[in-house]
Amino acid sequence: MTTASNLTSASDYFSAQTLTLLNSLSEQLHKIPGSGIFLRYVKSSYQNDPIRSAVELFLVLFAIRYLLAREYSTKPGKVRLTEEEIDDLIDEWQPEPLVTKTTPFEDADLEKRAIIVGPTGPKSRLANGRTVTNLASYNFYNLVSNEQLKERAIQTLRTYGVGPCGPPGFYGTQDVHMKIEADIAAFLGTTACIIYAQAFSTASSVIPAFSKRGDIIVADKAVNYSIRKGLQISRSQVRWFEHGDMADLERVLSRMQKEQAAKKQLTRRFIVTEGLFENTGDMVDLPKIIELKLKYKFRLLLDETWSFGVLGRTGRGVTEHQHVDAAEVDMIIGSMAGPLSAAGGFCAGSDEVVEHQRLSAAAYTFSAALPAMSAVTASETLMMLQTQPDMIAALRENVRAMWQQLDPRSDWIVCTSAVENPIMMLVFKQEVIASKRLGLEDQLGLLQEIVDECLAQGVLVTRAKALSAAASGAKSDVYTHRPALKVCMTNGLSRKEVEKAGTTIRHAITKIMTRKR
């Protein structure tokens, strides 16, 4: 009994002390501003939902513990360095070079490279004082010597200034920009057009504006570098088909359609190709691609950088040349810097296609607008193509004259370009490569010697050059460019001058190849 009585007294004492302590804490808590509101919230919360109060208490305690805990690393094995060790590592660090070191072949090429002084015309003056026949510039219609275009450019420069100094969507758009967009759309027969300040960035901006991660792009293996960068930026699933092989294209399209049907996925799907291929010079089979894109429900993006202003009766490009309605091509990309002798690029299509790019294309949204004088020059050139058809006829006559001097009459080279293409790509014949056992480096060396020999005889030509996969940022090469001699024609030369230049090139090729036996 005595023990039980003592326990009861101790319990009562403990309860009294606890109650006193709680009352003291309550009095102290009430002295804190806002404590009454907090206490009422806790009481009502506990009465209405005690589980919620328990969870909130747990979260409060966890937050307190997290804030008071020591720092720790989420990377196992991380080594902490002292300040002295960090300084030593910084002193020892050597940055990677911005450009790769040139090879001995590139050094020799740079030493011999011709430098043009003054205007780039059919006859150009070099830094060493010599005047040569220039077949290495994209001066197809000799527009760089056109006095009318020069005067219009000067007038525009005095009226609008050098450039708008702002992106088109902000305050960079001027009336001349809207005019060239309307001119190109009307020229091609599309409902709308959008222009870009740089020709190179047109394809690399248009592609990622429409195709995103998870979408599908089927592209020709020989597409140019600008398209390749656009494919890379888009992060889409890229499937390649053999260059110019429509049977292989249909095989890839059929397989992709079956894969999508099995996965029950609905994605955007595009075919990407060129009109005249920059790397090979040959022409696309556009009617067949239109047929396949309709059959397998793909959209088509056609790059007419080198065919716009060149192919067709009036220079409207491969659509006119192959009698295809431009409305059947979803997006037509082109350049105003080549045949038109201006600057910038464009994308023509439907109103929806064009308006989407005004907010989604990086080069349009974030780059300064095209200089006004370049836009006016492009408009003037388009007008000249429509009103002076003899310009195109003269160029094609010179191209045919050069063909007659080179392709059928040379035992060493063959032209891979389309017969209408003013850019002639001359490659070694397969039997020559096999008989002489020429590798890629051997072919490049021989072509450079031919270029040097032509220059010594007064004709300026060049080699076709391409970046390797590593230099372009790609993981691997999907297409091996054949080493080629590049001859760019112009209507600024007479037929006799073209034939003489062609004879010089053919004799230079024969001289170098016979010396290497």
Side-chain angles (χ1 to χ4, degrees), residues 188-236:
L188 288 174
T190 60
T191 57
C193 175
I194 182 174
I195 62 170
Y196 291 81
Q198 304 88 19
F200 177 84
S201 62
T202 303
S204 58
S205 293
V206 173
I207 293 174
F210 291 94
S211 187
K212 309 295 183 181
R213 186 190 296 274
D215 294 334
I216 298 171
I217 297 177
V218 178
D220 191 297
K221 284 187 175 182
V223 292
N224 59 54
Y225 182 61
S226 176
I227 291 178
R228 290 177 182 272
K229 295 308 293 183
L231 300 179
Q232 181 183 6
I233 295 170
S234 72
R235 299 179 295 179
S236 303

Side-chain angles (χ1 to χ4, degrees), residues 176-355:
V176 291
H177 298 131
M178 300 170 69
K179 183 180 185 302
I180 184 59
E181 290 180 346
D183 290 344
I184 294 175
F187 186 67
L188 288 174
T190 60
T191 57
C193 175
I194 182 174
I195 62 170
Y196 291 81
Q198 304 88 19
F200 177 84
S201 62
T202 303
S204 58
S205 293
V206 173
I207 293 174
F210 291 94
S211 187
K212 309 295 183 181
R213 186 190 296 274
D215 294 334
I216 298 171
I217 297 177
V218 178
D220 191 297
K221 284 187 175 182
V223 292
N224 59 54
Y225 182 61
S226 176
I227 291 178
R228 290 177 182 272
K229 295 308 293 183
L231 300 179
Q232 181 183 6
I233 295 170
S234 72
R235 299 179 295 179
S236 303
Q237 301 180 48
V238 181
R239 298 292 183 268
W240 303 96
F241 67 93
E242 296 298 327
H243 172 56
D245 190 339
M246 295 298 100
D248 189 54
L249 171 59
E250 184 166 14
R251 179 188 62 81
V252 175
L253 296 178
S254 176
R255 186 182 64 187
M256 296 306 302
Q257 188 182 59
K258 292 178 181 177
E259 290 180 3
Q260 291 294 298
K263 296 178 181 179
K264 297 182 179 179
Q265 291 181 341
L266 185 62
T267 60
R268 288 164 290 200
R269 301 179 293 186
F270 300 88
I271 299 173
V272 178
T273 188
E274 294 183 71
L276 286 175
F277 285 86
E278 179 179 324
N279 295 319
T280 60
D282 54 350
M283 192 186 309
V284 69
D285 185 355
L286 188 58
K288 183 62 177 179
I289 289 187
I290 294 292
E291 175 188 334
L292 293 177
K293 87 147 185 130
L294 295 175
K295 178 179 178 180
Y296 293 98
K297 296 179 174 59
F298 273 68
R299 295 181 176 91
L300 174 60
L301 188 149
L302 178 65
D303 188 346
E304 291 216 60
T305 295
W306 300 110
S307 54
F308 177 74
V310 171
L311 295 182
R313 184 179 59 86
T314 58
R316 285 176 168 82
V318 70
T319 54
E320 182 183 39
H321 181 74
Q322 298 186 356
H323 308 291
V324 174
D325 186 356
E328 296 188 59
V329 182
D330 299 280
M331 286 163 276
I332 298 178
I333 292 174
S335 169
M336 298 179 289
L340 302 190
S341 295
F346 68 85
C347 178
S350 65
D351 292 328
E352 293 78 11
V353 165
V354 168
E355 292 306 316

Side-chain angles (χ1 to χ4, degrees), residues 148-167:
Q148 177 185 348
L149 287 180
K150 289 181 182 179
E151 184 60 31
R152 287 288 289 124
I154 293 173
Q155 292 176 1
T156 305
L157 179 64
R158 289 171 176 169
T159 303
Y160 292 88
V162 176
C165 300

Side-chain angles (χ1 to χ4, degrees), residues 56-103:
E56 290 180 347
L57 179 61
F58 170 77
L59 292 176
V60 170
L61 294 177
F62 176 79
I64 294 173
R65 181 184 181 281
Y66 179 79
L67 293 174
L68 297 178
R70 295 192 307 171
E71 294 183 1
Y72 64 93
S73 174
T74 57
K75 300 178 181 179
K78 181 179 179 181
V79 178
R80 291 185 174 276
L81 301 177
T82 62
E83 293 295 330
E84 292 77 8
E85 292 173 329
I86 293 175
D87 292 337
D88 291 340
L89 289 174
I90 293 175
D91 293 337
E92 296 172 0
W93 178 73
Q94 294 293 332
E96 291 289 333
L98 295 177
V99 294
T100 57
K101 188 177 181 180
T102 57
T103 64

